[in-house]
Amino acid sequence: MSPITEPETATRTPANLYFAGLARWSIWEALFWAALVGLFFIPDANLPLYGQIVIWGLFAMSLDLLLGYRGIPSLGHAAFFGIGGYAAGYLGKFGWTEPISGLVVASLLAGIIGWLTGRLIQRVSGIALLMVTLGLNLILYDIVHRQSGLTGGDDGLQGIEIAPVLGLFRFDIFGRTAYLYALAITFVLFLLARALERDVTTVFAIAAAFAGAAGALLTQTTQFVSPTSLSFQRSADVLVILIIGGTGRLYGAFVGAFLFLFLRDWVAELSPVYWYFWIGLLLVVMVAFFRKGIVPSLETLVGRLRRR
Amino acid sequence: MATIATVLFNGVAYGMLLFIMSVGLSVTMGMMNFVNLAHASFSMLGGYVLVVVTQQLGLPFLVSLPLAFIIAGLASLIVERTIFRYFYGTDDLTQVLLTLGLIFMSIAIITYFWGGTYQQISVPSWLTGQQDVLGLTLERYRMFLVVVGAVLALVLIFGLERTRFGACVRACVDNARVARACGLNTELVFAVTFAIGGGLAGLAGALSANLLGIDPNFPLRYLVYLLIVVSVGGMCTITGTLVAALLLGVADVAGKYYAPEIGGFVIYTITVLVMLWRPHGLMGRRA
């Protein structure tokens, strides 16, 4: 079997090279994070939604470590999100209610499983790689879904308790603490990711640990976790978010998450059925015309304008 | 003993469905190196052709099957000519995302016209009920599936090995560039193969409606099975696809019958192991 034309390889720049040439922070990066903090101070802001956006951004960023740094696509990244989510859920349910240490434990667990997975998939590539990651995700989903005695099945894990952050800030119904907590954790992990350069197995472990942290954050801030957190749908969603935003930039993940969740929130009010149509169309248009994604496309545009 | 035989038979019938559904995907994936997840959507289309033809137009079941083949084939030809051909040669991930986007759109479109619920299907009376064969009580509809699947498998193997068009297809699979250089109209061969593959998927969708049910989530539900059959069987081998489909069908039915609590675990684990052991599938050739 042979491809008709040579595959395109130069569309995605590895993120480590990108950030190596960007050792100092640009004004855009500072503005980006300042804007996220600024959202908190807007009166009547929909903080629960913004919190979700930050968490999904972190999740998509963890996938970017694989896809953007090493060119490893995964159809099963939600597995690690789910592992982190359930680990944080069980800790909270059985008395370990301190959030930050709970997050670290959940994230480490996802990282260890990610490291093992990384070793397993080291030699496969292409379709086989997509199938293995998808298969592992489905196995995990199946187990969690069927062991309803342990996991609560479709109803999810109930009775998760999370203590106030640092013993001071209670998770309130307006999502204020949740937003700042998610943002702070995400920022710390972003700094780590920005400085990263590792081989395949380690990157897989780190990406898994970050995905686990995102899952744990979602569980802790909503005090709920269900099998949808590790469904194939979620693996597909996170891939869509990253591709929309653009790979190899880390920021693409957040831009994608913002667009995706904002659109979903808005369209879903009209009708959840149409949501599928629009996200499908968006995906097709993205890969047809902006294969690089939003952030890299914008950069090219800005670069061109500057040169004039 | 009788139950083992019945489970085996039901598994084979299910496997035949999976074979018809995925054989087109296997050939086009091997031929054009194109990962078409939307293949599952053509199956759904075939299922809805059956619904419209038999329920709304009131035409017989046997008329709806060729119509499902033709309409799904035409639809896949149109999609291939207008969209897919611009994406040959791009990386796997781009193709996965493109066709995933098309699946999402197809789900929404079908829901818009027919709603999100399962459709009522009725088959003619000679296909319902059970029949005693060699001391076994077998469902007539499943017997029908096994016969149709076996006939199609023979036709496809014969067509690929013995006809002129089959030789063109094999030439394109082996080396499209050389085939084109030798004066073969590869674009035409691609398009026709795509149409036939899509048509078979549509036929499988129509055949499966009675057994598996048909609703807008059909593509996402059976996508995984399609991918398993194609990747385990190996691309572009009809016998490989048939073997993988039958194995998967039997494993799935037996698993659900004897150990319902572990569900899909068995087939997913087998898939992962096969992929790690032989990344090009059981009968696949090295790329």
Side-chain angles (χ1 to χ4, degrees):
Chain A
M1 66 192 97
S2 67
I4 306 160
T5 50
E6 294 302 321
E8 288 177 39
T9 45
T11 47
R12 299 189 175 98
T13 333
N16 51 343
L17 295 180
Y18 174 75
F19 280 105
L22 234 175
R24 292 181 50 168
W25 282 62
S26 73
I27 182 86
W28 297 106
E29 295 193 82
L31 269 179
F32 176 85
W33 291 101
L36 282 180
V37 176
L39 278 180
F40 179 77
F41 295 102
I42 297 174
D44 296 329
N46 189 353
L47 284 181
L49 176 65
Y50 298 150
Q52 296 259 330
I53 289 175
V54 169
I55 293 170
W56 273 93
L58 174 63
F59 183 28
M61 184 187 87
S62 74
L63 183 61
D64 199 14
L65 295 179
L66 285 184
L67 192 56
Y69 274 56
R70 285 285 171 260
I72 308 168
S74 168
L75 280 185
H77 207 50
F80 303 112
F81 186 87
I83 290 170
Y86 270 95
Y90 280 119
L91 287 175
K93 188 175 168 140
F94 296 111
W96 188 332
T97 55
E98 204 288 308
I100 295 177
S101 59
L103 186 102
V104 171
V105 171
S107 167
L108 278 179
L109 181 70
I112 292 167
I113 297 173
W115 186 78
L116 292 172
T117 315
R119 296 212 50 131
L120 199 66
I121 58 123
Q122 227 165 7
R123 288 179 306 115
V124 281
S125 63
I127 313 262
L129 178 62
L130 291 175
M131 286 309 297
V132 171
T133 50
L134 174 66
L136 291 173
N137 192 170
L138 289 172
I139 291 172
L140 192 66
Y141 176 80
D142 216 61
I143 294 173
V144 170
H145 190 235
R146 280 178 198 272
Q147 299 298 318
S148 44
L150 273 173
T151 61
D154 273 336
D155 298 331
L157 203 57
Q158 310 280 348
I160 298 168
E161 270 182 52
I162 303 296
V165 181
L166 304 173
L168 292 172
F169 307 102
R170 202 160 263 298
F171 286 103
D172 52 305
I173 56 160
F174 308 107
R176 298 171 67 86
T177 309
Y179 179 72
L180 286 186
Y181 175 60
L183 187 58
I185 299 285
T186 301
F187 185 63
V188 170
L189 292 178
F190 175 85
L191 290 180
L192 277 174
R194 202 177 181 280
L196 199 71
E197 199 177 338
R198 288 286 181 276
D199 70 86
V200 171
T201 36
T202 329
V203 160
F204 212 99
I206 295 168
F210 281 25
L217 274 178
L218 191 65
T219 301
Q220 290 180 338
T221 54
T222 57
Q223 276 105 61
F224 179 71
V225 57
S226 76
T228 40
S229 69
L230 39 76
S231 60
F232 167 65
Q233 185 64 50
R234 185 145 306 202
S235 292
D237 283 350
V238 74
L239 200 55
V240 172
I241 286 177
L242 182 61
I243 294 299
I244 291 175
T247 55
R249 294 292 184 278
L250 299 185
Y251 286 104
F254 294 95
V255 173
F258 187 80
L259 198 68
F260 186 89
L261 291 182
F262 223 72
L263 275 177
R264 187 168 72 177
D265 204 53
W266 183 58
V267 178
E269 270 177 26
L270 305 176
S271 157
V273 176
Y274 301 137
W275 162 243
Y276 258 131
F277 182 82
W278 294 113
I279 200 65
L281 187 65
L282 186 64
L283 205 50
V284 171
V285 170
M286 288 301 302
V287 294
F289 301 109
F290 308 98
R291 206 165 293 170
K292 289 190 292 184
I294 290 175
V295 170
S297 297
L298 277 181
E299 271 173 11
T300 322
L301 193 70
V302 170
R304 251 187 235 155
L305 290 177
R306 274 208 189 137
R307 251 178 274 134
R308 281 197 184 158
Chain B
M1 194 54 215
T3 45
I4 293 178
T6 312
V7 166
L8 206 63
F9 172 77
N10 288 350
V12 168
Y14 184 37
M16 283 299 185
L17 264 185
L18 293 175
F19 166 71
I20 306 170
M21 214 183 279
S22 50
V23 67
L25 182 63
S26 157
V27 172
T28 51
M29 224 154 135
M31 189 149 110
M32 299 159 217
N33 248 338
F34 186 79
V35 188
N36 176 22
L37 304 189
H39 195 78
S41 289
F42 296 125
S43 267
M44 173 171 68
L45 179 64
Y48 276 90
V49 169
L50 173 87
V51 170
V52 171
V53 169
T54 58
Q55 306 300 114
Q56 291 173 5
L57 301 180
L59 293 172
F61 176 75
L62 284 184
V63 173
S64 73
L65 295 182
L67 278 177
F69 177 82
I70 291 166
I71 292 175
L74 280 178
S76 58
L77 184 67
I78 292 168
V79 174
E80 197 268 344
R81 285 288 90 188
T82 53
I83 303 175
F84 288 168
R85 68 182 176 130
Y86 300 106
F87 290 88
Y88 294 152
T90 54
D91 58 312
D92 295 342
L93 186 65
T94 302
Q95 297 166 353
V96 163
L97 292 166
L98 172 81
T99 51
L100 194 64
L102 290 176
I103 289 189
F104 286 166
M105 289 168 75
S106 71
I107 289 176
I109 292 170
I110 291 286
T111 313
Y112 180 82
F113 286 108
W114 285 280
T117 51
Y118 277 91
Q119 295 291 323
Q120 280 282 324
I121 305 290
S122 62
V123 293
S125 54
W126 57 272
L127 280 175
T128 54
Q130 295 173 326
Q131 176 87 41
D132 286 321
V133 180
L134 303 170
L136 294 170
T137 315
L138 304 175
E139 276 178 58
R140 288 205 183 116
Y141 194 77
R142 288 181 206 265
M143 287 163 65
F144 174 68
L145 285 181
V146 172
V147 172
V148 172
V151 168
L152 275 176
L154 285 176
V155 167
L156 287 173
I157 291 172
F158 178 82
L160 198 63
E161 296 295 328
R162 293 290 160 85
T163 64
R164 189 177 159 74
F165 182 73
C168 294
V169 171
R170 279 182 289 132
C172 289
V173 171
D174 285 341
N175 195 328
R177 210 177 285 175
V178 172
R180 192 166 43 205
C182 292
L184 194 65
N185 187 348
T186 48
E187 288 236 337
L188 182 71
V189 177
F190 285 170
V192 173
T193 312
F194 220 98
I196 295 175
L200 286 173
L203 176 64
L207 285 171
S208 68
N210 182 39
L211 210 61
L212 311 176
I214 186 100
D215 75 324
N217 276 321
F218 186 89
L220 286 181
R221 216 171 36 242
Y222 288 98
L223 176 63
V224 175
Y225 285 86
L226 282 187
L227 287 174
I228 291 177
V229 169
V230 171
S231 51
V232 169
M235 274 161 231
C236 219
T237 111
I238 289 179
T239 27
T241 311
L242 182 63
V243 169
L246 293 180
L247 271 178
L248 179 65
V250 171
D252 202 40
V253 170
K256 278 178 184 152
Y257 186 82
Y258 290 109
E261 65 280 357
I262 56 172
F265 187 81
V266 180
I267 55 169
Y268 301 145
T269 311
I270 292 173
T271 308
V272 168
L273 292 179
V274 168
M275 288 288 89
L276 289 173
W277 173 48
R278 298 191 64 154
H280 296 286
L282 288 176
M283 300 201 176
R285 292 176 288 180
R286 290 197 176 272

